[in-house]
Amino acid sequence: MISPSYLRQGIKNENPLLLERFKVLSKGTGLKELYVKKIRNGTVIDHILAGHALDVLKILGIDGREGHIVSVAMNVISKKQNKKDIVKVENRELKPGEVDKIALIAPSATISIIRDYDIAEKTRVKLPDSIRGIVRCSNPACVSNAEPVEPKFSVERQDPLRLRCYYCVRIMEKTDVLRQF
Amino acid sequence: MISPSYLRQGIKNENPLLLERFKVLSKGTGLKELYVKKIRNGTVIDHILAGHALDVLKILGIDGREGHIVSVAMNVISKKQNKKDIVKVENRELKPGEVDKIALIAPSATISIIRDYDIAEKTRVKLPDSIRGIVRCSNPACVSNAEPVEPKFSVERQDPLRLRCYYCVRIMEKTDVLRQF
């Protein structure tokens, strides 16, 4: 029997052919093998848009040198047969500003706080209708880059991202945002 | 019973306390759990100096967008209780130039080519006494940056890295090398 928390902490490889292969080759490891190992305490960011795990690490300020135990899986197959990325960071919980930044580049991500191998909290990131103070306007002539005002954008579309500056109406897309992280 | 190839493809978590915990909590997953999953075909780069997995990805030109299935573990505990990083790339084997670059930043790394879940080849990266054409001299006034000559360095020390330019005797260290990748 596989414990429910084991099933919940990450996504199993659901490709039946691969599973069959695993069944034969990984004796004693069970049928549902996780791409990356369970963690005891920390944060699991799952369902990240495929190919964006390294951007998530950048947002969290993780380059490996700070010593956190981190596992990353990129372009793996999710339950719904879509590609996705996963990031697991041990002994680290996210700050609100970090969650907002992740929402900008990975609007479908889920964030689970793990305590003693169990999910203490699980949330789907959500972009509000307007965002403030997370990114700067990419228009150098925008008043928000010259005066001490807080940058502010309306979220016109979540995916693909489309932000409109409240001050100069400049449109920002995901590539513009990523450049700032 | 755990199959030998299962044991060889990556390093298990050998911390006895954590293992004990796992024993209880991960029913059916076996005692020796890998930090990242086995791969069917591709390359496993193990024993990377802790904190340098992302540099290895950069050397391989992997940012996630190219679609390869990649798993990364950073700052995990190795059999010898040292910290290390691991990178597994599915369906991709390394080019010789990439292996040389990895040797520059992670002289203790091992590279295993996996075919059908088994290790087809395993090598420890090795820096030769002199290297050519992999990095440029960081001295802008060096003749190798002005004339069409191949950059050449003698390897004075592997770890921490110390290269001496054959032309201008400028010393290059790991940080100078990383800036070029």
Side-chain angles (χ1 to χ4, degrees):
Chain A
M1 205 190 88
I2 296 160
S3 74
S5 77
Y6 176 73
L7 280 171
R8 284 194 316 252
Q9 222 197 69
I11 285 296
K12 302 125 329 259
N13 177 354
E14 297 278 347
N15 180 322
L17 275 178
L18 275 181
L19 268 184
E20 191 52 37
R21 187 79 214 173
F22 250 95
K23 201 176 166 182
V24 178
L25 285 158
S26 302
K27 288 170 192 158
T29 61
L31 252 181
K32 312 259 181 181
E33 191 166 9
L34 294 171
Y35 276 100
V36 285
K37 211 178 85 166
K38 280 187 70 172
I39 61 176
R40 181 171 188 165
N41 294 300
T43 305
V44 174
I45 307 160
D46 199 353
H47 303 284
I48 301 164
L49 192 67
H52 284 75
L54 299 188
D55 298 317
V56 169
L57 290 187
K58 210 185 272 179
I59 289 169
L60 303 182
I62 289 172
D63 69 359
R65 311 281 205 286
E66 66 298 314
H68 282 294
I69 301 179
V70 176
S71 8
V72 174
M74 295 194 271
N75 296 300
V76 297
I77 308 296
S78 76
K79 223 192 274 191
K80 294 173 183 162
Q81 298 292 313
N82 299 323
K83 282 185 170 189
K84 64 163 186 177
D85 287 7
I86 310 167
V87 169
K88 297 189 182 186
V89 189
E90 293 195 30
N91 301 317
R92 166 103 147 70
E93 301 191 2
L94 304 192
K95 299 160 202 149
E98 292 172 334
V99 176
D100 292 340
K101 285 182 179 174
I102 292 170
L104 277 175
I105 61 151
S108 55
T110 58
I111 296 179
S112 303
I113 310 295
I114 310 297
R115 291 185 193 130
D116 210 12
Y117 292 108
D118 260 321
I119 298 179
E121 277 173 47
K122 182 169 183 171
T123 46
R124 183 171 291 275
V125 300
K126 199 184 163 343
L127 261 187
D129 295 336
S130 70
I131 58 163
R132 295 160 176 267
I134 304 172
V135 283
R136 295 186 316 280
C137 181
S138 59
N139 173 11
C142 176
V143 65
S144 68
N145 285 314
E147 303 289 330
V149 292
E150 190 179 48
K152 188 175 162 189
F153 300 86
S154 64
V155 179
E156 294 204 339
R157 198 175 52 207
Q158 291 216 6
D159 193 11
L161 186 69
R162 191 180 155 95
L163 305 176
R164 183 181 296 273
C165 176
Y166 178 78
Y167 301 99
C168 75
V169 305
R170 161 78 62 109
I171 295 294
M172 300 243 296
E173 296 188 342
K174 193 190 278 180
T175 46
D176 305 307
V177 168
L178 280 174
R179 234 174 270 135
Q180 298 186 24
F181 292 160
Chain B
M1 208 187 88
I2 295 161
S3 74
S5 75
Y6 175 75
L7 280 173
R8 283 193 318 252
Q9 225 197 68
I11 286 295
K12 301 123 334 259
N13 178 355
E14 298 278 346
N15 181 322
L17 275 179
L18 275 181
L19 268 183
E20 191 51 38
R21 189 77 211 174
F22 249 94
K23 202 173 163 183
V24 178
L25 285 158
S26 302
K27 288 170 193 160
T29 61
L31 255 180
K32 313 260 182 181
E33 191 168 5
L34 294 170
Y35 275 103
V36 286
K37 211 178 83 167
K38 281 188 69 173
I39 60 174
R40 180 171 192 164
N41 294 300
T43 305
V44 175
I45 307 160
D46 200 353
H47 302 285
I48 301 165
L49 190 69
H52 283 75
L54 300 186
D55 298 317
V56 168
L57 291 186
K58 211 188 268 181
I59 289 170
L60 303 181
I62 290 172
D63 69 358
R65 312 282 206 283
E66 67 298 315
H68 282 293
I69 300 178
V70 177
S71 9
V72 175
M74 295 193 272
N75 297 301
V76 298
I77 309 296
S78 76
K79 222 191 276 194
K80 295 172 184 163
Q81 299 290 315
N82 299 324
K83 281 187 170 190
K84 63 164 187 175
D85 287 9
I86 311 167
V87 169
K88 299 190 181 187
V89 189
E90 293 196 31
N91 300 316
R92 166 103 145 67
E93 299 190 4
L94 304 192
K95 300 161 203 147
E98 291 172 335
V99 176
D100 292 341
K101 285 182 180 174
I102 291 170
L104 276 175
I105 61 150
S108 56
T110 58
I111 297 181
S112 304
I113 310 294
I114 310 297
R115 291 185 193 128
D116 209 13
Y117 292 108
D118 259 322
I119 298 179
E121 277 173 48
K122 183 168 183 171
T123 47
R124 184 171 290 274
V125 301
K126 198 187 161 345
L127 261 188
D129 296 335
S130 70
I131 58 162
R132 294 160 175 268
I134 302 170
V135 283
R136 294 186 317 280
C137 180
S138 60
N139 173 9
C142 177
V143 65
S144 69
N145 284 315
E147 303 288 329
V149 292
E150 191 180 47
K152 188 176 161 187
F153 299 86
S154 64
V155 179
E156 293 204 338
R157 197 175 52 206
Q158 291 214 7
D159 193 11
L161 185 70
R162 191 180 155 96
L163 305 177
R164 183 182 293 274
C165 177
Y166 178 79
Y167 300 100
C168 74
V169 305
R170 162 76 63 109
I171 295 293
M172 299 241 298
E173 297 189 340
K174 193 188 276 178
T175 46
D176 305 309
V177 167
L178 280 174
R179 234 173 270 135
Q180 298 187 25
F181 292 159

